Amino acid sequence: MSGPRRDFFGLLKPRWGVATGLVLVVALWEAGHAAYGPVVLPSPGETLLALWQMVRGGDALPAVLQTLRGALAGFLAAVVIGGALGLLAGLLEPLRAVLRPIATLMLGIPAVAWVVLALLWFGADLAVPFTVWVTCAPIVFAAAAEGARSLDPGLLRMATAFRVPRTVLLADLYLPHMLSHLFPALATALALALKVAVMTELFSGAGGIGDGLATARAQVDTARAMAWILLLVGLLLALEFLLLEPLRRHLEPWRGDKSPPRSGVSGS
Amino acid sequence: MTTTPPEADALHVENVTHAFGRESVLGGVSFALPAEQKVGCIVGQSGCGKSTLLAILGGLLRPDGGRVTHPFVRPAFVFQDPCLLPWRTARDNIAFGLKALSTTRPDRRNRAEELLGVVGLTAADGDKYPEALSGGMRQRVALARALAIRPDFLLLDEPFGSLDVGLRRAMQALVRRLIDDGGPATVLVTHDLAEAVKLADRIVVLTQKPARLAAIHDLDRPFAARDDGFVQAEVGRLLGRPEISGALAIEA
């Protein structure tokens, strides 16, 4: 293929695609800023400056840590409890019949309704982990149940023929198979966890990125609000690529580079 | 099922019946495999119940009626689909069956390494995941996994069914060589009469469902002497017997 043609197709390669997309977003952002002014849409430069001031002023780090702590606590509880119940429900038909409608019910209740309930029941401290847990657990549960249920019957027959004990069945068949179902769901749930945590903080007003957003809103400081959002998106991307992706590579080397379809940061 | 079998038969099947729900699959099958005959082939049309019979022989399924007696204590299966764990390397797949026995981890690895060589795979193949192996290599891994537990009874359910002609021949030769080399007593299920003629010391032909015994035929020619000409002539001769061509629904 000749030079210019190849360059054009080079743009379609993932790395260049990401760069092109980012440039496009920044360009549109600038255009919006030029059209509507700094109060409605501060420029990317002003936003970065606000972010820098937040970091230097010591506002950003404690807020990020607090949001992260609440979101991860709820997320981990959702993974452990949702995953364990999902495994059991996948193995035991009657339990699945009981738990599935409950999970569907929990999924159907909007996150913001849980925020209100959590604040009434637990106060600001426990509201974040609880809300995150209650919104993420059904997602993890559904994926785990489907994973446990959809194990290839041929593999089960093979394992039975070799008379392997139940512990081996669990460790060598069910768990690895479930993991492949769980990873896309975990990416979705983790993104959701952060968003729900921020929303809960916005209402509870007890610190965290959400509280920062609420303050920025009260002060009509759009640049600062945008800076908090930037921070949140950065956090999501960092979790995805520094936590989930390495974990997946470590736990699923047999997949090679072929990653399963995933919703990632765009989830929820 | 491990009581002393009558006479000198290694495997004794007596009027075995089985049904799934109301559908009778085995309608009373009786045959024996003498100890000196190492390979028995059960031949029948697809869906005639031969896989069910094999599962009963290997103790995976209890027959509704009849009796199976044999002295074997450690059966091992190879299925038509290799049934490898996609998340384990070829080496770990070979070692999988050993997890049911009280084998230590280093022992399992050594045994897997040994079996890789036995079935003609390299150490580098052992590191690969099933996805990266060809169909023939996967079936070799499945065979190695069965042999790894040192079975005294090998049950093969259409193990070469999904392989193309060249690979199938290579696998047939490998299996027969391993069995002649002090390997376990073997029962192989196939719908292919030519494969049975190639491999078997005794061919057991089953009728269509519900399966009964249609014919028994013994072959004593050594494997090396069973060339294509012999196989073709023997298959032709067998199909000349109406009870066999009828059971396999082939026009004589």
Side-chain angles (χ1 to χ4, degrees), chain A residues 151-152 154-155 157-165 168-169 171-174 176-177 180 253-256 258, chain B residues 58-60 73-77 79 82-88 96-97 99-100 129 131 142 145-146 149 157:
Chain A
L151 181 66
D152 178 3
L155 291 183
R157 192 174 56 138
M158 182 279 292
T160 316
F162 280 102
R163 300 168 183 185
V164 296
V168 173
L169 215 56
D172 286 53
L173 273 78
Y174 279 105
H177 177 73
S180 60
W254 53 282
R255 278 192 189 280
K258 278 188 278 175
Chain B
L60 286 185
V73 291
R74 193 175 288 172
F77 280 85
F79 304 103
C83 291
L84 303 182
L85 302 175
W87 39 81
R88 295 280 183 267
F96 178 74
K99 290 192 170 181
Y129 290 95
E131 197 189 54
R145 177 179 60 196
I149 64 171
D157 191 352

Side-chain angles (χ1 to χ4, degrees), chain B residues 176-209:
Chain B
R176 185 70 225 205
R177 182 170 59 74
L178 291 173
I179 293 168
D180 288 338
D181 225 19
T186 300
V187 174
L188 182 143
V189 153
T190 178
H191 64 273
D192 180 3
L193 191 57
E195 181 162 272
V197 167
K198 182 95 184 169
L199 286 173
D201 297 321
R202 168 167 284 190
I203 298 176
V204 176
V205 183
L206 297 183
T207 65
Q208 293 168 44
K209 198 161 54 180

